[in-house]
Amino acid sequence: MSFRRKINLGIAASLLAAGATLGTAQVSEAAPATLSCAYGHFCGADGFGHRFDVSQCGVRVPIGLTGPGEFYNHQTPGTWAHWYNADGSLSGASDAGIDSYIDWTHVWYVQAC
């Protein structure tokens, strides 16, 4: 089973456990919907249509995303993006060129570079 499929199934299970209904939707092995952000940017979105797009290095930007979503680190090679919990502790990081699913529930800030 691919990494993306495991993530897809995990998101679907989380939604169902929270009382959401999938109706006639099917869980598939599809890659995340492609986020579009300019080269040098780090962007993300949640399932409610909220987005962020940051490029200024070293600045923690508050975001208002929650629940399952995705990110795309479209920064220059070797550049890392970071995301932080409410208390400012590091929650995760991604090298440039990565797009992936994420649960934004406990992420309060993001930082490009």
Side-chain angles (χ1 to χ4, degrees):
M1 181 181 298
S2 73
F3 175 73
R4 287 193 193 276
R5 180 166 169 79
K6 288 179 188 174
I7 297 289
N8 283 342
L9 294 175
I11 290 171
S14 296
L15 289 170
L16 290 172
T21 58
L22 294 178
T24 59
Q26 305 252 338
V27 175
S28 71
E29 291 189 32
T34 303
L35 285 174
S36 176
C37 54
Y39 186 69
H41 291 229
F42 173 56
C43 59
D46 64 16
F48 302 101
H50 304 114
R51 293 182 47 112
F52 70 83
D53 186 327
V54 297
S55 62
Q56 187 176 1
C57 289
V59 176
R60 288 187 190 178
V61 177
I63 62 169
L65 280 61
T66 187
E70 61 184 305
F71 69 84
Y72 180 35
N73 187 354
H74 198 201
Q75 298 181 92
T76 57
T79 306
W80 285 77
H82 303 87
W83 45 97
Y84 299 88
N85 298 310
D87 65 3
S89 62
L90 183 65
S91 175
S94 165
D95 195 3
I98 302 295
D99 66 322
S100 187
Y101 292 105
I102 186 171
D103 183 351
W104 293 112
T105 301
H106 300 287
V107 177
W108 286 58
Y109 307 95
V110 297
Q111 178 179 324
C113 317

